[in-house]
Amino acid sequence: MQTSFTIFARNFLATWLLLSLTTTLTFSQQSNFIEPVAGPDVPDSREMDAFKARLRKNPNISAFQFVKLNALATSQQDGILKLRIPNTSPITAEATHVEYHDEHNYEWIGKTDDGLGTVIVLSKEGRICAHISTPQGVYEIFPAPGNLYSLQEIDPIKAGDVGCATTSENRTGGRENAEYIPATPEPVNSNPSSDANAKLYPCQPLVNPRVLVLYTAKALQIAGDVATITDQANISVAQFNSTIYNSGITSNAVLTLAGVAPLNFPETNNNMTLDITNLPGNAAAQSLRTQFQADLVVLFTNGNYGARGATAIPFLNNASAYSIVQILNAVTNKTFAHEVGHIYGCRHDGESGDPQYAQGHNMKNGLGIVTDRTMMSTNTNDGSNRLLNFSNPNVIVGGKSTGTLANNNNAKRITETHLIVGGFKPNPVPPLVAYLDGPTFVTTQGGKNYELNYSCGSAPYSFTWQYSYDGVNYIASNITTEVFTWYFYQNQKIYLKGTVSANGKSTTAFIAVTAQMPSPFKTGNTEADSLINENQELSVIPNPVADEMRIGYYLETEAAVELEILDLSGNFVESILPKKSLQSRGLHSLSWSNDGLENGSYLLRLIVNEKTEVKRIIIQR
């Protein structure tokens, strides 16, 4: 018993010190990810004039300006990315899915507004694109001439309307010229685990569905160059994949971009229905699909259509796995993700068919007014918020369920169909592939094992591990086996990155783990109490905090309580409650102002009858 306690204490202390040290090292004065560029600093060139002209012709853009982007690693802090968009309130996003290879190649996805908003930041070989969709506004960022980026404000009424051709709503009209707004810049672990059995599996083709993005001559004309079309393809795929992640669907359903290629396909003016009928039979499109080994095809166009997108019927069919999407609406209106959802067998809300549950869902307030819509809901011009969520009765956003069991469960449909879609065409055999296996939600203290499973390649294999507290700034581990053990002792989020190498090739797998420990102050069985159920742990609202926050906790019995602020090294900073204050059983709540503390991360420590609970807080003014 004494030996077990000593080992646990040693592991606890080592992990605590490692957390304190590494968090202190990674914390520094953060830079703004978005840095405005003053009008005189925008280059005056024919290339820039042509770029501005294309933006002004985009009917979805209400305003734009030019910005510089700083490194993501120094712009986010503890998994929190604050986007300071000029002339608007800051948007704060908390990371939910991060695949960070290096500063030039990453995918960062975060949630805002209690899950109602999504921020996607994507970098491919240093070309950064972003889509910011929140109830307060929709913004996009794309590369611009002169090593700048264009920050584009999207008309909020149009942003929620995917414009699918299966309805008769009119999508034309609106603003003819976007407004250019020149800007003025703002002031600026773990213990080694024993070697496990090899996790080398027989080499198999990848299971994720592969999408080929084709584009017409008119799409190229409005985009300006192939690089811009590729940006649209990459961010479109990321937007669909973030919808998969947000909806609790297996990551095997996410898309892989098979390629981007031109297609000689003249659009029929104002007749997308005819074009989507003809596209699956187009010999050139079929040939390219075979060449790229693509399970589905999306054609970017710029036809004079009333609709923004359409998918061939029947859905979930190899021969008709084709969609058409107007390039200006692919990301802005979420039309790409919507149409691909059709290929997976999902339907609009209220549309009959088999199975009944494969419908989108509308979320209403107490007056019966639609406030939020899931990805496959019908088109709307009413300004309601379109979530990056497929309907799922088990996923709650903004306090409301995103689906129903009987009629609205696109998540269940995609879970059933993604392997069918991924098998439409033979997938290429990868040179080396890996994935991480282990618990992603932890509720008990102690060590948890994470295994690096891999296939293909040839021996000898070697393994490296890294871990991170924010998904971006990683710390190297000394573990060199297939199994990595992480010791959990408090509420936290940990990101693990495992890399397997073989004969000059390497591949990396990621996993994010959320730990939520039961409160140490609740013991034994008690009768049901709604307040107890809502206050299982030490709570801090809001966090990050600018000025004042509310602290809440529940006492099972009368107890002596201490509440204090520590720095990340465990040094005392400030006392919130006098030491060993006697408090009665029940729910306790108090306010605390952080006027005297600098921006950064701190520890809030609650001690009850010598039992301790610690929560990290972030002060960010």
Side-chain angles (χ1 to χ4, degrees):
M1 179 70 178
Q2 180 65 31
T3 301
S4 299
F5 178 80
T6 302
I7 293 174
F8 176 79
R10 186 187 304 122
N11 292 336
F12 180 94
L13 179 59
T15 309
W16 172 271
L17 292 175
L18 186 62
L19 171 63
S20 301
L21 176 61
T22 55
T23 308
T24 303
L25 290 175
T26 57
F27 172 73
S28 61
Q29 183 62 40
Q30 304 299 304
S31 60
N32 293 335
F33 183 66
I34 301 173
E35 182 179 334
V37 174
D41 294 329
V42 176
D44 187 8
S45 65
R46 295 180 61 182
E47 183 183 15
M48 179 60 77
D49 290 342
F51 185 86
K52 290 179 182 178
R54 286 195 295 271
L55 294 183
R56 290 190 177 103
K57 291 179 181 178
N58 188 334
N60 300 310
I61 299 176
S62 58
F64 66 92
Q65 58 185 288
F66 295 100
V67 299
K68 292 182 179 180
L69 300 181
N70 291 313
L72 179 69
T74 57
S75 300
Q76 65 83 48
Q77 178 182 315
D78 296 332
I80 303 295
L81 181 62
K82 181 167 284 190
L83 301 172
R84 294 175 174 86
I85 295 177
N87 305 317
T88 66
S89 300
I91 295 173
T92 300
E94 182 176 1
T96 56
H97 178 85
V98 183
E99 294 188 10
Y100 190 90
H101 299 274
D102 53 52
E103 189 53 43
H104 300 289
N105 297 277
Y106 59 79
E107 180 177 276
W108 192 99
I109 299 173
K111 301 296 289 181
T112 77
D113 302 282
D114 196 23
L116 294 173
T118 299
V119 172
I120 305 170
V121 184
L122 183 71
S123 181
K124 296 283 189 179
E125 301 299 329
R127 286 180 65 90
I128 302 175
C129 306
H131 179 81
I132 304 159
S133 179
T134 75
Q136 289 74 34
V138 179
Y139 306 88
E140 291 177 353
I141 299 174
F142 285 101
N147 294 319
L148 300 179
Y149 286 84
S150 64
L151 172 60
Q152 301 160 188
E153 182 177 354
I154 307 303
D155 184 327
I157 297 297
K158 296 178 181 179
D161 183 6
V162 295
C164 187
T166 54
T167 69
S168 59
E169 292 182 61
N170 185 10
R171 284 333 140 233
T172 60
R175 191 182 180 91
E176 293 296 329
N177 295 293
E179 179 184 3
Y180 170 44
I181 304 177
T184 301
E186 296 179 356
V188 198
N189 108 344
S190 63
N191 292 333
S193 59
S194 59
D195 197 0
N197 294 330
K199 292 298 179 180
L200 174 61
Y201 290 88
C203 188
Q204 298 289 337
L206 298 172
V207 298
N208 293 90
R210 292 165 53 84
V211 59
L212 170 63
V213 173
L214 303 177
Y215 60 89
T216 66
K218 288 185 177 180
L220 178 59
Q221 182 181 19
I222 198 169
D225 53 43
V226 176
T228 300
I229 290 180
T230 303
D231 291 337
Q232 288 283 346
N234 282 323
I235 196 71
S236 293
V237 170
Q239 191 176 71
F240 175 84
N241 291 347
S242 67
T243 309
I244 293 289
Y245 300 137
N246 293 343
S247 308
I249 303 172
T250 173
S251 60
N252 286 336
V254 303
L255 286 176
T256 298
L257 182 62
V260 178
L263 178 68
N264 183 13
F265 186 89
E267 295 95 330
T268 303
N269 283 347
N270 204 28
N271 199 337
M272 183 179 278
T273 302
L274 177 61
D275 284 354
I276 193 56
T277 301
N278 294 334
L279 179 60
N282 183 278
Q286 293 176 349
S287 176
L288 287 166
R289 184 184 179 193
T290 300
Q291 175 187 334
F292 283 90
Q293 296 177 271
D295 298 300
L296 59 149
V297 176
V298 175
L299 176 64
F300 282 168
T301 71
N302 185 37
N304 185 24
Y305 301 126
R308 292 169 175 163
T311 298
I313 53 176
F315 302 153
L316 194 62
N317 181 278
N318 184 13
S320 56
Y322 292 80
S323 295
I324 290 178
V325 173
Q326 298 242 53
I327 189 169
L328 296 181
N329 309 113
V331 179
T332 300
N333 302 91
K334 309 175 180 69
T335 304
F336 178 99
H338 179 94
E339 299 304 335
V340 171
H342 281 316
I343 294 179
Y344 278 62
C346 298
R347 302 192 309 277
H348 295 155
D349 55 305
E351 285 187 352
S352 60
D354 185 35
Q356 177 67 23
Y357 55 79
Q359 300 178 44
H361 182 61
N362 298 327
M363 300 158 66
K364 301 179 180 180
N365 62 16
L367 301 176
I369 300 173
V370 175
T371 56
D372 304 281
R373 299 173 184 265
T374 59
M375 181 58 69
M376 300 308 298
S377 294
T378 47
N379 309 302
T380 173
N381 287 312
D382 62 4
S384 57
N385 181 46
R386 186 173 295 278
L387 302 173
L388 287 182
N389 282 80
F390 289 109
S391 57
N392 185 343
N394 298 316
V395 173
I396 307 298
V397 174
K400 300 184 183 70
S401 174
T402 59
T404 66
L405 286 172
N407 299 322
N408 315 96
N409 197 343
N410 286 150
K412 179 179 179 180
R413 184 59 170 161
I414 294 173
T415 300
E416 296 169 340
T417 63
H418 72 276
L419 290 177
I420 298 174
V421 176
F424 281 163
K425 290 290 183 180
N427 288 344
V429 176
L432 186 63
V433 65
Y435 70 92
L436 280 176
D437 185 24
T440 59
F441 191 78
V442 175
T443 58
T444 57
Q445 292 183 342
K448 306 297 179 184
N449 289 338
Y450 294 87
E451 299 180 70
L452 186 57
N453 301 322
Y454 55 100
S455 64
C456 304
S458 57
Y461 296 91
S462 61
F463 312 94
T464 59
W465 291 86
Q466 295 172 280
Y467 56 93
S468 171
Y469 298 102
D470 58 19
V472 175
N473 297 289
Y474 277 86
I475 302 163
S477 166
N478 60 354
I479 302 300
T480 58
T481 62
E482 299 101 320
V483 179
F484 183 94
T485 303
W486 183 268
Y487 290 89
F488 294 93
Y489 67 94
Q490 67 171 10
N491 294 349
Q492 61 181 175
K493 189 155 190 174
I494 294 296
Y495 300 83
L496 302 179
K497 179 194 292 189
T499 301
V500 56
S501 302
N503 286 331
K505 299 181 175 62
S506 63
T507 187
T508 299
F510 299 83
I511 194 169
V513 188
T514 300
Q516 290 189 2
M517 303 300 168
S519 171
F521 313 128
K522 295 176 64 57
T523 58
N525 297 320
T526 59
E527 61 182 352
D529 187 320
S530 61
L531 288 179
I532 295 177
N533 293 334
E534 293 175 3
N535 294 275
Q536 297 287 332
E537 303 168 352
L538 175 64
S539 64
V540 178
I541 300 175
N543 190 13
V545 58
D547 298 306
E548 186 175 272
M549 64 184 181
R550 297 288 299 179
I551 302 169
Y553 52 91
Y554 182 85
L555 300 180
E556 184 67 27
T557 62
E558 183 180 69
V561 178
E562 298 178 49
L563 191 61
E564 55 193 10
I565 302 294
L566 311 176
D567 64 19
L568 291 178
S569 297
N571 299 315
F572 175 81
V573 174
E574 182 177 331
S575 178
I576 297 178
L577 285 176
K579 288 192 174 183
K580 296 188 177 180
S581 301
L582 189 63
Q583 294 188 341
S584 60
R585 175 187 182 275
L587 178 65
H588 293 264
S589 177
L590 69 157
S591 295
W592 175 71
S593 177
N594 54 20
D595 294 339
L597 300 184
E598 297 180 353
N599 285 356
S601 295
Y602 296 85
L603 300 175
L604 174 65
R605 180 165 70 180
L606 175 66
I607 304 174
V608 178
N609 290 339
E610 299 184 354
K611 295 181 180 179
T612 300
E613 183 171 5
V614 177
K615 178 177 288 290
R616 185 188 305 186
I617 60 173
I618 301 171
I619 297 177
Q620 193 173 61
R621 296 183 179 89

